[in-house]
Amino acid sequence: PPPPPPPPPPPPPPGGGPPPPPPPPGQGPPPPPPPAGLKPGQGNASVPGLRPKEKKQPGKRVKQLHWIKLNERKVPGTIWESMKDEEIGLEIEQVETLFGVKVVAKDLHKDDDLDSSNNAGPRRKKAVILLSANRSQTIGVLLSHLKIPHDDFRKAIMSLDTRTLQPNFVVQLMRLLPTDQEVAALQSYTGPKEDLGVAERFLFELLCIPRLKPRLQCFVFILEFNARLHDLSENVEVFSYAIHDIKRCTSLVKVLEIVLALGNYMNGQGPKGGAYGFKLEFLTKLADTKTSDNKSTLLHYLVDYIHRKFPEYISFPQELSNVEIGAKVSENIVDEISKFKKEIKFIYEEMNKPYYKSNAKTDPCGSKLEQFYHTAYRDMEVLEQNKKEALAMYKELSKMYGEEELKPDEFMTYIHQFAQSFKEAHNENVRKKEEEERVRARREQFLKQMQENERLAEQRRQQKQMAGGKPQPQPSKDPVK
């Protein structure tokens, strides 16, 4: 019969040369400085089409909020452009009372230096025959979990038999591969193989496997592929959910508008006043601004104000349920997927080595790698597409907030920390008011009891007076006969 047609050539490896990165945003000459010499109340907009921003003048000196003002050139097209913080009905007198400047002694707390101890490195191995005693013991422990003869084990490695070998065993085996010195010692041994120790005989079998180290690297990747693909796909999905949560949370935008109004009033005519927006990092520092009596913070006041004036926005943290996990998984998601792609590319390069082509009949590893590569490549394309879509959504979201320079994990961490601290401050305010209500109720009960006691005492006095003050019989007024 005629020979079968040759298999189609494999698709090109993923990541075969990344495209040049897009130019980073903000390149070019720096923006011109804002116009100087503005008078109080004068608009400070230097961008065409941007409405003037009037600086406020507090009635008394109040604490300054140390936010970083958003550059005016970045305002158009963001959430800050349409904000009308000057229309927020601030409680001016209460703000000035709570946050009036008061000189207080400030304690400086310095973090204690943590003692660090250097881990002692591994002890110098004492050679026993060909291997050190420590190496022989470690390999012996690994072999105690191997329930098949060494020859069958070697065949399983040669054929990438995923049913015979478990992932944990192969991973540990990768860490126990013989070093160059051990390879030289084993290869120079000319005595009977049976005279070698158990560990030496095992390593001797491994050295008979062609391309041992790259073969094991491919084997480990194949064994772990499904689990890693599932984790990465899930991380991209959670990251996308977190982006959707923030984009749909209109209550968060309203809360930021209130923070902007409060900060612009407190910063007054200072250099940080008249801001169109602020960097999100400032949200994590709201609790740093204390009231004048040091009994509360700006964050607690903000929460109380929103609870009284805008109760429909008080529960916005509940709308951001995926942001905390999204912040964690987004930190390394790009690097992890890039590493994943490189390992698939390594499979492609290994399966095209001349050895596998010339030994295809005796060594099935090359054909197994090729079959796996086609499946893994398709899965990788789906994962890569989902990652690109998620990053595109994040780019749009960060632009909405004027924070294009922030990494995804930084952006989401700021949002999550603010939402979490907002929720905790609200709970603390509720507990404080409940305690005040209990104290008031006890005081009223006490006063009521005192009044009742006084009433009963007065009633007893009156009864006593009536009982002790009976009228005496009057003497007869008839003349004495």
Side-chain angles (χ1 to χ4, degrees):
Q27 278 195 350
L38 290 176
K39 299 179 180 180
Q42 182 178 354
N44 61 346
S46 60
V47 179
L50 196 62
R51 57 186 177 81
K53 176 70 69 169
E54 180 180 352
K55 289 191 174 184
K56 305 297 181 181
Q57 179 63 56
K60 59 183 293 187
R61 188 181 176 190
V62 294
K63 296 186 176 183
Q64 299 286 288
L65 303 187
H66 300 287
W67 60 22
I68 300 178
K69 293 174 63 174
L70 192 66
N71 191 299
E72 296 173 12
R73 295 181 176 275
K74 292 188 176 182
V75 172
T78 67
I79 60 172
W80 310 106
E81 184 179 17
S82 59
M83 285 192 180
K84 299 179 180 179
D85 57 286
E86 61 274 4
E87 298 180 5
I88 299 294
L90 296 178
E91 299 168 328
I92 303 302
E93 295 183 0
Q94 190 171 4
V95 172
E96 294 178 351
T97 301
L98 290 174
F99 301 100
V101 173
K102 181 180 179 181
V103 179
V104 293
K106 185 177 181 181
D107 296 331
L108 298 177
H109 300 280
K110 296 184 178 179
D111 297 332
D112 296 330
D113 293 332
L114 299 177
D115 294 332
S116 58
S117 58
N118 295 326
N119 296 327
R123 292 178 302 174
R124 189 173 184 180
K125 301 170 184 177
K126 185 177 180 180
V128 176
I129 307 177
L130 299 180
L131 300 178
S132 68
N134 191 25
R135 280 279 285 174
S136 296
Q137 181 181 6
T138 304
I139 294 175
V141 172
L142 177 65
L143 293 179
S144 65
H145 300 285
L146 186 63
K147 306 301 181 183
I148 60 175
H150 293 177
D151 187 59
D152 293 342
F153 169 76
R154 181 179 60 82
K155 293 178 181 179
I157 293 292
M158 289 284 291
S159 61
L160 302 181
D161 188 352
T162 57
R163 293 172 298 179
T164 302
L165 300 178
Q166 299 299 319
N168 291 339
F169 183 88
V170 182
V171 171
Q172 293 180 33
L173 179 61
M174 280 288 298
R175 301 169 184 165
L176 297 178
L177 290 179
T179 63
D180 294 339
Q181 292 180 350
E182 292 170 345
V183 170
L186 289 169
Q187 289 178 343
S188 62
Y189 176 74
T190 57
K193 187 172 64 172
E194 292 77 13
D195 293 344
L196 292 172
V198 176
E200 284 80 4
R201 289 200 304 269
F202 177 73
L203 292 184
F204 201 88
E205 289 288 344
L206 288 182
L207 292 179
C208 296
I209 301 176
R211 302 193 59 78
L212 174 62
K213 186 174 181 179
R215 189 187 299 253
L216 286 178
Q217 289 175 331
C218 295
F219 203 177
V220 171
F221 182 72
I222 292 173
L223 291 170
E224 297 178 343
F225 177 79
N226 288 333
R228 290 178 61 187
L229 177 66
H230 175 269
D231 291 343
L232 290 173
S233 301
E234 195 173 62
N235 289 348
V236 173
E237 187 176 16
V238 171
F239 179 48
S240 300
Y241 288 159
I243 296 172
H244 283 298
D245 282 356
I246 299 175
K247 290 186 69 174
R248 288 194 296 257
C249 189
T250 56
S251 300
L252 173 62
V253 178
K254 187 63 179 180
V255 170
L256 297 185
E257 185 176 15
I258 296 172
V259 175
L260 180 65
L262 191 58
N264 271 334
Y265 179 80
M266 294 180 66
N267 286 336
Q269 296 292 319
K272 296 183 182 296
Y276 287 94
F278 53 86
K279 296 291 185 179
L280 294 180
E281 184 182 7
F282 171 72
L283 295 174
T284 64
K285 302 177 181 179
L286 286 171
D288 295 344
T289 302
K290 308 290 185 181
T291 54
S292 299
D293 57 4
N294 277 337
K295 292 182 179 180
S296 187
T297 69
L298 178 61
L299 176 63
H300 289 78
Y301 170 74
L302 171 71
V303 174
D304 178 66
Y305 174 77
I306 293 176
H307 182 63
R308 289 183 288 107
K309 300 294 185 179
F310 304 96
E312 64 272 22
Y313 305 133
I314 199 68
S315 60
F316 85 88
Q318 300 177 9
E319 303 176 31
L320 304 173
S321 57
N322 293 298
V323 175
E324 179 181 8
I325 304 178
K328 294 178 180 179
V329 303
S330 63
E331 181 176 2
N332 298 317
I333 191 171
V334 175
D335 293 338
E336 289 295 329
I337 293 179
S338 297
K339 180 181 178 182
F340 202 56
K341 291 173 60 179
K342 289 180 180 178
E343 292 181 80
I344 294 180
K345 183 180 179 181
F346 179 79
I347 297 286
Y348 175 84
E349 294 172 346
E350 181 65 17
M351 75 184 193
N352 284 295
K353 294 295 182 182
Y355 165 80
Y356 296 108
K357 302 297 182 182
S358 58
N359 295 275
K361 294 182 179 180
T362 58
D363 193 338
C365 181
S367 60
K368 291 282 187 72
L369 290 177
E370 188 169 344
Q371 292 174 8
F372 169 78
Y373 172 77
H374 288 290
T375 302
Y377 183 82
R378 288 192 295 268
D379 293 337
M380 186 67 242
E381 281 187 319
V382 175
L383 177 63
E384 180 69 15
Q385 181 62 31
N386 293 338
K387 182 204 74 172
K388 289 181 179 179
E389 293 176 358
L391 291 178
M393 288 190 297
Y394 170 72
K395 184 177 181 181
E396 179 183 351
L397 176 67
S398 62
K399 187 176 181 180
M400 284 176 56
Y401 283 78
E403 292 279 19
E404 298 94 329
E405 298 85 358
L406 278 184
K407 297 178 180 178
D409 60 297
E410 295 174 334
F411 184 97
M412 293 190 177
T413 297
Y414 292 150
I415 297 294
H416 166 66
Q417 289 181 354
F418 172 60
Q420 188 67 20
S421 60
F422 187 96
K423 181 180 178 180
E424 292 173 357
H426 176 58
N427 293 335
E428 291 171 2
N429 286 348
V430 170
R431 288 194 295 268
K432 182 179 179 182
K433 290 184 179 180
E434 290 176 348
E435 179 62 24
E436 292 174 349
E437 182 62 25
R438 285 193 291 269
V439 171
R440 185 189 64 80
R442 288 196 295 266
R443 185 183 295 111
E444 290 181 354
Q445 181 65 24
F446 176 76
L447 294 176
K448 184 177 180 181
Q449 187 64 40
M450 290 290 294
Q451 293 174 356
E452 179 65 15
N453 292 342
E454 291 178 359
R455 187 186 68 80
L456 293 176
E458 180 64 23
Q459 185 178 0
R460 287 194 295 269
R461 284 195 298 270
Q462 292 178 0
Q463 291 176 352
K464 186 175 180 181
Q465 290 177 358
M466 292 178 64
K470 290 183 178 180
Q472 299 294 328
Q474 299 293 331
S476 177
K477 295 182 180 180
D478 293 341
V480 179
K481 294 182 179 180

